[in-house]
Amino acid sequence: MELALKLAEKGRGYVSPNPLVGCVILKRNRIVGRGYHKKYGEAHAEINALNEAGKKARGATLDVTLEPCSHWGKTPPCTERIVDVGISEVIIGMLDPNPVVTGSQELKFRGVKLKTGILEKEAKKQNEQYIKYIKTKKPFVIVKAAMSLDGRIATTTGHSKYITGREARKYVHKLRSELDAIMVGINTVLKDNPQLTTRLVRGRNPFIIVVDSTLRIPVNAKLLNDPSKVIIATSSKASKANVKQFLQRGVKVLTIKQKGGKIDLNELMKELGKMEIGSIMIEGGAELNAEAIRSKIADKILFFIAPGLIGEGLGAIGDLGIKKVDRSIKLKNLTSRKIGKDILIEAYL
């Protein structure tokens, strides 16, 4: 199962909104087939592993990180192929949270020996984005920030490039290539004019979501170099002429209702979920970070902390409305590790 989990990782960034899945087939304690889900809409991990195993699959054991599908979707049901080739036992990491997937029941009914929950914790961690999307039809949201040791993301003049080292920046670019979308607020666009690409690594560029209630984004903004990858979330305050201009360039424009004078992020998440965007990393400033946490759309934080002090400057998170320390938001499952000279803190909300 450990090998199956490693194989599954090869599909990260290519299978969303489908899950990451890896599969290993063993016969007489020897691996006869390996496979993983390579791309959304293509063959599932089990099929790829069975194709490699060929006739050796009969009487073998199939280890798979996620419950095999038993329904027709973009591909035929994996359970039918598993039964047809004569697999004798299936070992599953985690059950699929998608209610239409009943593969374990189908396999039991067809007389295949079954074990479930093997390295389940690791399998669920690997597919945390998929689990959130399937259960809520909303994307899994990461709030990312790079800051000094005293919590500043910019100086008093607004200067912020670069607080963290190249290794940390490269890691962020890798994350971008693995996620469906990056989200920023209009203030970040106006101040930094970011590209939000994966130029430091090999990988596809994600969608870019700009939260811009009055459509102030400049037509020559760098992130508009590929308009087909840009989604602007605006409101009824935006002029129809501006909306039309961006639509004609190939930009997707969503008109979202406001809440408290700002784009309602929960409504935005619903709309993005309908577009099959299953994961987002927020790379905005303090205001958008705070709004994401206040509105409870954020699932996870990634804070990169550089070994330097700035003193007076802009903090990583804006006003959360907390007046007493004992009302502070308690983070869960906090871990830390070094990336180059910087420290990465990862935690869940």
Side-chain angles (χ1 to χ4, degrees):
M1 191 62 73
E2 286 181 353
L3 177 56
L5 287 165
K6 287 179 181 177
L7 286 170
E9 280 297 321
K10 292 184 176 183
R12 193 173 290 279
Y14 300 98
V15 301
S16 180
N18 279 357
L20 294 164
V21 187
C23 181
V24 175
I25 298 171
L26 297 118
K27 191 168 187 179
R28 300 188 188 94
N29 292 321
R30 290 183 61 190
I31 294 172
V32 295
R34 310 177 197 214
Y36 67 96
H37 186 28
K38 295 180 179 180
K39 192 175 181 182
Y40 177 63
E42 294 187 359
H44 289 183
E46 301 94 316
I47 303 304
N48 288 329
L50 288 167
N51 286 343
E52 184 177 291
K55 293 180 181 179
K56 294 176 183 176
R58 183 162 297 278
T61 297
L62 183 147
D63 286 50
V64 63
T65 57
L66 184 73
E67 180 181 14
C69 66
S70 55
H71 63 288
W72 284 85
K74 289 187 177 293
T75 58
C78 292
T79 50
E80 287 301 310
R81 181 76 182 278
I82 289 169
V83 172
D84 288 347
V85 302
I87 289 288
S88 63
E89 182 177 13
V90 174
I91 299 173
I92 297 170
M94 63 170 279
L95 297 179
D96 197 318
N98 190 337
V100 304
V101 177
T102 56
S104 58
Q105 296 174 35
E106 178 69 18
L107 290 170
K108 274 185 183 178
F109 179 75
R110 303 285 288 274
V112 178
K113 190 177 176 183
L114 204 69
K115 286 181 186 175
T116 61
I118 308 302
L119 295 186
E120 183 179 40
K121 183 179 177 182
E122 291 81 355
K124 285 183 173 180
K125 165 76 172 172
Q126 184 175 68
N127 267 313
E128 62 187 9
Q129 296 168 15
Y130 169 74
I131 293 168
K132 162 83 181 288
Y133 178 74
I134 285 297
K135 287 184 174 180
T136 68
K137 294 303 176 187
K138 295 179 183 178
F140 184 92
V141 178
I142 300 167
V143 175
K144 170 258 169 184
M147 67 192 76
S148 60
L149 191 58
D150 51 350
R152 303 302 182 190
I153 62 173
T155 66
T156 53
T157 64
H159 189 262
S160 60
K161 291 185 179 179
Y162 289 106
I163 288 176
T164 52
R166 184 175 174 84
E167 292 90 343
R169 298 199 303 276
K170 192 172 180 180
Y171 182 82
V172 169
H173 283 220
K174 181 174 181 293
L175 284 175
R176 288 176 182 173
S177 73
E178 295 171 351
L179 296 165
D180 293 340
I182 303 303
M183 188 163 84
V184 294
I186 184 58
N187 289 334
T188 296
V189 177
L190 295 175
K191 182 172 68 72
D192 296 337
N193 194 18
Q195 297 181 61
L196 300 176
T197 63
T198 59
R199 59 193 179 278
L200 295 182
V201 298
R202 282 186 178 180
R204 60 155 182 75
N205 287 319
F207 282 99
I208 299 169
I209 303 158
V210 182
V211 180
D212 183 5
S213 60
T214 56
L215 216 51
R216 292 185 291 152
I217 182 170
V219 293
N220 61 347
K222 289 180 181 177
L223 56 76
L224 289 169
N225 285 340
D226 183 358
S228 67
K229 299 288 284 187
V230 179
I231 302 165
I232 300 177
T234 192
S235 72
S236 57
K237 290 180 180 179
S239 78
K240 290 181 180 178
N242 277 357
V243 171
K244 185 179 179 181
Q245 180 186 28
F246 283 106
L247 289 173
Q248 287 175 338
R249 287 190 62 185
V251 174
K252 178 76 173 176
V253 180
L254 301 176
T255 301
I256 307 294
K257 72 178 186 181
Q258 290 188 299
K259 185 177 181 181
K262 298 178 180 179
I263 296 290
D264 187 331
L265 293 184
N266 276 290
E267 287 301 312
L268 175 56
M269 293 305 113
K270 288 178 187 177
E271 292 303 314
L272 294 171
K274 291 175 186 176
M275 296 170 65
E276 295 191 331
I277 289 178
S279 57
I280 295 171
M281 183 159 66
I282 295 176
E283 295 197 54
E287 189 176 337
L288 185 58
N289 291 346
E291 188 62 25
I293 294 168
R294 271 200 311 267
S295 60
K296 298 187 177 185
I297 67 160
D299 299 286
K300 182 177 182 178
I301 65 161
L302 290 178
F303 283 0
F304 293 84
I305 302 174
L309 303 173
I310 289 176
E312 201 69 32
L314 182 64
I317 300 175
D319 183 19
L320 293 174
I322 295 169
K323 305 302 179 185
K324 294 185 178 181
V325 172
D326 60 3
R327 297 293 179 90
S328 64
I329 295 168
K330 303 299 187 290
L331 301 174
K332 305 165 191 171
N333 303 328
L334 189 145
T335 58
S336 65
R337 58 192 167 107
K338 283 199 75 177
I339 296 185
K341 65 176 183 177
D342 306 305
I343 297 170
L344 170 59
I345 303 289
E346 177 180 330
Y348 292 83
L349 290 150

